[in-house]
Amino acid sequence: MTSKDGYQWTETQGLLQGVPSIGLIHPPSNTTGENTIYDVIIIGAGYAALTAARDATTSGLRTIILEARDRIGGRSWSSNIGGYPFEMGGTWVSWGQAHVWREISRYDMRKELEISQDYSHGVNHLSLVTATGEKINLSHDDEDRVTISALKKFTNVDGEFGKKIMPFPNDEAHNLEAASFDRLTVADRLAQISTELSPQECSALKGWLLLCGGATLDVMSFYEFLHWWALCGHTYEGCIEYLIKYKFRGGQSSFAIKIWDEAISTKRLSYILNCPIAEVQDSGSMVTVTSVEGRQFRGSRVISTIPLNVLNTVKFDPPLSSEKMEAANIGHLNQCVKVHAEISNKDLRSWSSINPSSKLIYAFGDGTTPAGNTHVVAFGANGVHLDTEKNINETKQILKELTDMDIKRLVFHNWSEDPYAKGAWFFPGKEFITTYLDALRERQGNIFFANSDWAVGWRSFIDGAIEEGTRAGRDVTRDLLLARSHL
């Protein structure tokens, strides 16, 4: 079945909007929902929503999911084309991420993982472009050496590569001195160490930072990168292991559907897809959620999993707290573009590229399709943003400028133009986290807020979404049980 989301291009068919996905839900609704008072209404169907729905329904709560899209997964979903999953958003997982690994174990998917990189054959090098435009091919061992050196210089704010400043990444305030680093942008920190970096180190580091933040170096939070670094054990090796190595053989949607199926199996989950929300009204005794089309749904509690960058598109009555609304109006920065290219060049399976001045700053071989072609994934940031669907020829040219390749297919999702995301994974500007994180996590009356964008651990990752969904499901269940015990 084909979702309305995403795009694909081939020479024979041209550009097509909509790609097949096992995350597409059919039928799109199992209820009218308007004559029922639910225990909990969940807005959204990403990992936070799915986890909360599963936990609520298995705890006995009558639950409804209202989702704007025709599929589940939110900003993490896969398109299955020709028997191969192209990851349109969030991709990588690890046993070092406790919440996601709990779910992988729950659904016995431990043997469903594979490694993105394969250096067993082919060109086996990184194409690195420096600030002067010099293009250098480095072995992957040399790539690691250069990147490790650069990252150590970048993160060594305390003589121990960030270990003193942020020893417990799930408790960022453990060392109160850490907050001072939220006054720095990534560019500020780069300026502090500029004389220590070689041209190769500077280029490799900028490529990494732009890949993480999807914005521009002059606005990205240095503190948030320190948080990522701490989560990865304060090492480059940890970054590779946790951020960009292990993925599902069947794609993210094969994981999301497991959580969905368990919730459905309880027979306590109603759902309506293609149902964007316009308003959430909390009267104190009841919450009414109104769709854009004017349909109304009533429940005792609401879990909103609306992403930060679109939170201000929904009306809340009473209004959101001033801090929450201010955070929503600021939003996060990440406008990353992610493009998949299926190419005939088998030797590029072991190739990678970093070019901080390109519209596709970071690329690497990510798999082999059933047709025997190489799958390359490429990422761009906001400084020189690429709207792929508006100029396919430009996109192909940019890819070929990275290295010569024979492109058979392009697959992508423009998250910047997505009305239900308005950006990719969360990455903030300076002083955002230390100012707004607590406010974003607070409940408001009968409304609970859960999203990876304000997780305390793997913020912006799938693990963070599951963390947040677990928190919301637990809190709502406890809240309702307590309320009923007083009746």
Side-chain angles (χ1 to χ4, degrees), residues 134-185:
E134 180 185 12
K135 189 172 185 178
I136 307 162
N137 289 336
L138 298 177
S139 70
H140 291 302
D141 285 342
D142 285 340
E143 171 191 0
D144 291 345
R145 176 184 55 78
V146 168
T147 308
I148 288 170
S149 177
L151 283 168
K152 282 186 172 181
K153 293 172 183 176
F154 187 69
T155 58
N156 194 24
V157 293
D158 54 7
E160 292 192 19
F161 310 109
K163 293 178 184 177
K164 279 186 183 177
I165 286 297
M166 203 174 288
F168 298 104
N170 287 280
D171 179 16
E172 296 163 62
H174 179 82
N175 183 347
L176 297 179
E177 292 181 19
S180 66
F181 291 97
D182 204 19
R183 295 196 290 269
L184 297 178
T185 67

Side-chain angles (χ1 to χ4, degrees), residues 190-226:
L190 284 170
Q192 291 176 352
I193 62 168
S194 60
T195 60
E196 303 174 36
L197 296 172
S198 71
Q200 291 182 15
E201 288 174 341
C202 186
S203 184
L205 180 56
K206 286 181 177 179
W208 258 83
L209 296 171
L210 290 167
L211 173 64
C212 293
T216 56
L217 302 175
D218 62 322
V219 293
M220 289 164 48
S221 166
F222 174 58
Y223 176 94
E224 186 71 351
F225 185 82
L226 277 180

Side-chain angles (χ1 to χ4, degrees), residues 438-455:
D438 290 343
L440 286 168
R441 294 171 56 78
E442 289 175 355
R443 68 180 286 184
Q444 189 164 311
N446 292 314
I447 306 168
F448 296 73
F449 296 85
N451 194 282
S452 180
D453 293 355
W454 46 84

Side-chain angles (χ1 to χ4, degrees), residues 45-205:
Y47 277 114
L50 294 176
T51 305
R54 191 270 316 280
D55 291 355
T57 55
T58 56
S59 296
L61 300 184
R62 181 177 290 185
T63 305
I64 186 169
I65 278 180
L66 304 176
E67 165 58 44
R69 307 178 189 278
D70 58 9
R71 57 170 183 80
I72 61 172
R75 287 173 286 178
S76 296
W77 69 290
S78 52
S79 173
N80 300 78
I81 299 174
Y84 185 85
F86 294 93
E87 296 286 9
M88 310 298 278
T91 303
W92 293 280
V93 296
S94 168
W95 43 87
Q97 298 167 334
H99 297 280
V100 77
W101 194 252
R102 180 195 69 206
E103 301 299 326
I104 289 171
S105 297
R106 182 181 185 126
Y107 299 113
D108 196 23
M109 297 185 74
R110 294 172 293 108
K111 297 182 179 180
E112 298 299 315
L113 300 181
E114 63 182 12
I115 296 173
S116 279
Q117 297 79 14
D118 181 359
Y119 298 152
S120 65
H121 64 279
V123 298
N124 258 313
H125 68 240
L126 165 75
S127 299
L128 179 67
V129 179
T130 67
T132 62
E134 180 185 12
K135 189 172 185 178
I136 307 162
N137 289 336
L138 298 177
S139 70
H140 291 302
D141 285 342
D142 285 340
E143 171 191 0
D144 291 345
R145 176 184 55 78
V146 168
T147 308
I148 288 170
S149 177
L151 283 168
K152 282 186 172 181
K153 293 172 183 176
F154 187 69
T155 58
N156 194 24
V157 293
D158 54 7
E160 292 192 19
F161 310 109
K163 293 178 184 177
K164 279 186 183 177
I165 286 297
M166 203 174 288
F168 298 104
N170 287 280
D171 179 16
E172 296 163 62
H174 179 82
N175 183 347
L176 297 179
E177 292 181 19
S180 66
F181 291 97
D182 204 19
R183 295 196 290 269
L184 297 178
T185 67
V186 164
D188 291 334
R189 177 57 184 162
L190 284 170
Q192 291 176 352
I193 62 168
S194 60
T195 60
E196 303 174 36
L197 296 172
S198 71
Q200 291 182 15
E201 288 174 341
C202 186
S203 184
L205 180 56

